[in-house]
Amino acid sequence: MRAVVLDGPGDLTALQLRDLTVPEPEPGQVLISVKAFGLNRSELHTRLGLAEGVTFPRVPGIEATGVVAVCPGGEFVPGQQVVAMMGGMGRTFDGGYAEYTCVPAAQVTAFYSDLDWATLGAVPEMLQTAHGALTDGLDVRPGQSLLVRGGTSSVGMTAAVLARSRGLTVLATTRDAAKGDRLRALGVDHVLVDDGDVARQVRDVLGDGVDTALELVGTPTLPDTLRATRRHGVVCFAGMLSNRWTVPDFYPIEYLPRGVRLTAYGGDASDLPAAVLQQFLDDVAAGRATVPLGQVFPLERIRDAHAIMEADRATGKLVGLPRILRWRSRS
């Protein structure tokens, strides 16, 4: 099989396309024929040497979408459509940047859909993060307002789609005003151009601030996001687009505005129930929801995809295809 391999951290040339032996699954594992895989900043962090707990050489990729090839334990049926994500994928064992990946059955979720593979490949991790952040991190309720800091990221756009479907008023930030129309097309009510003082803009719109806020940029913008939130509102830290995720000399009483609550969300495959995944895919197929799909790349262009991530030039989810596929019916 073909796979992308990292022998260690490095620049774009560290991403090497190689021929590897197809893994043989043991009971409790699933061998997946990968049809598409999402690209994530997690893999960028791995390549740049910023991720912890990574062993090399390693096939990166914290998610994959495809069909079951072999499942010795019988948890899934060969040919069944599945997604796999997290749980050490691409860090402690080989991940999704390959034609096949072998993963623990606990990290696998089945679904059925006639959507194309590129669209399906964009969904797992960004839906898991957006859903988990809105439910576990923020516990959002209809009628509330939500600020998405980092709105043109794939998770940010998915969070906006989910929030609008749940009856929230959505504000989302972008550093590029030209991307505003993309956010409005997703149903964002107020697009804010991030000038570093988003709190002022939010209060110009809502007065007391937002009920909830999703921080996807990282610690550089977190203080301003906290200031944009009303007293007794909640901010969930769930992303690190800035590649900065710690606060030096954190002093809570000084750092947190009075009455504003700060939570965090990381999550795992178990945080995306099969019913939630299936409902979202059904909604997309019926035109009730949108997948913010960005560019699609073959394995041969994986370096181009990473260059776009590193330069922060992506709008929508970047997806890799191990093979060029035309697929419209169940395998």
Side-chain angles (χ1 to χ4, degrees), residues 224-236:
D224 186 50
T225 300
L226 288 163
R227 289 192 296 271
T229 307
R230 67 166 177 83
R231 186 175 294 188
H232 300 153
V234 185
V235 176
C236 178

Side-chain angles (χ1 to χ4, degrees), residues 138-172:
L138 293 170
D139 192 25
V140 298
R141 293 288 185 266
Q144 290 184 322
S145 54
L146 169 72
L147 169 65
V148 182
R149 192 73 179 255
T152 53
S153 66
S154 60
V155 173
M157 289 191 284
T158 304
V161 170
L162 295 179
R164 286 293 296 157
S165 72
R166 298 180 188 188
L168 276 76
T169 298
V170 180
L171 300 81

Side-chain angles (χ1 to χ4, degrees), residues 1-7 14 16-20 57 299:
M1 70 173 189
R2 298 187 311 159
V4 175
V5 180
L6 280 172
D7 292 318
Q16 298 288 326
L17 184 59
R18 294 179 183 161
D19 289 324
L20 301 180
L299 282 182

